[in-house]
Amino acid sequence: KQEVTQIPAALSVPEGENLVLNCSFTDSAIYNLQWFRQDPGKGLTSLLLIQSSQREQTSGRLNASLDKSSGRSTLYIAASQPGDSATYLCAVRWAGNQFYFGTGTSLTVIP
Amino acid sequence: GAVVSQHPSRVICKSGTSVKIECRSLDFQATTMFWYRQFPKQSLMLMATSNEGSKATYEQGVEKDKFLINHASLTLSTLTVTSAHPEDSSFYICSSRSSGANVLTFGAGSRLTVL
């Protein structure tokens, strides 16, 4: 069964800290993995997409890594800001069209 | 970048009525559209996948006669919640990708409240 898990479910950090969000998945034969941000009551904003052949992707203060053999991806946020407060979701695509979503990590950055 | 416009963003309706939610791809051809629902503090659950011009494929446990999906053109897909009940109250989100693309683009979501 293909499942995606995110730990922790919630995280609270003081402004300026670097932090890591975790995503784990069963079945290493993924097609790609995508990280999203969701603000309360809003839709999803794509942050980073990692193809199965890639090890990491970077965008500004964000860095996403992928280790297929261990079934894990991490999202690293450098120098966190209050505006980073949101729920972060990872989604994994295996063969076919479907993306399977993790349960998300709710991040609060305290000013 | 690719944009998906979804509306209405919020809708309140009486029990027993039907509600239609629209998703439009503004600058690309959405060959595949995914419809998700999200309950409070939970992740997204895929309801159905639709391809332009063909019938939608529903996930197990999703009633196709209750959640009608139409993907009649490459830029428009609709989800109609028929005979809505309070337990259908949820956040519905569409997403799309163009042919050959890897990135999912999401609409802003529609919050349905059934009284």
Side-chain angles (χ1 to χ4, degrees), chain A residues 64-85:
Chain A
S65 68
L66 174 64
D67 183 346
K68 286 193 303 179
S69 61
S70 64
R72 288 190 292 188
S73 175
T74 62
L75 179 66
Y76 175 84
I77 302 177
S80 59
Q81 303 171 357
D84 295 331
S85 298

Side-chain angles (χ1 to χ4, degrees), chain A residues 39-51:
Chain A
D39 293 286
K42 304 290 186 181
L44 277 67
T45 300
S46 178
L47 298 174
L48 290 165
L49 169 72
I50 308 178
Q51 302 289 357

Side-chain angles (χ1 to χ4, degrees), chain A residues 3 19-20 22 29 31 36 38-39 45-46 56 63-64 72 79-80 84 88 92 99 105 108:
Chain A
E3 293 183 348
L19 59 100
V20 175
N22 297 294
Y31 187 76
F36 295 90
Q38 185 178 30
D39 293 286
T45 300
S46 178
E56 66 177 348
N63 176 278
R72 288 190 292 188
S80 59
D84 295 331
Y88 290 81
V92 177
F99 280 79
T105 294
T108 302

Side-chain angles (χ1 to χ4, degrees), chain A residues 6 31-32 34 36 38 40-46 49 51 89 91 93 96-104, chain B residues 10 32 34 36 38 41-44 46 49 51 59 91 93 97 100-109 111:
Chain A
Q6 289 185 249
Y31 187 76
N32 59 39
Q34 195 166 351
F36 295 90
Q38 185 178 30
K42 304 290 186 181
L44 277 67
T45 300
S46 178
L49 169 72
Q51 302 289 357
L89 295 159
R93 181 182 172 191
N97 270 328
Q98 290 188 28
F99 280 79
Y100 291 80
F101 281 83
T103 48
Chain B
R10 292 180 182 273
T32 305
F34 304 92
Y36 296 85
Q38 184 181 35
K41 299 188 184 300
Q42 294 187 25
S43 190
L44 280 73
L46 181 66
T49 302
N51 293 296
E59 295 300 300
F91 192 57
I93 310 177
R97 64 185 184 91
N102 291 310
V103 178
L104 274 183
T105 301
F106 280 81
R111 181 160 302 283

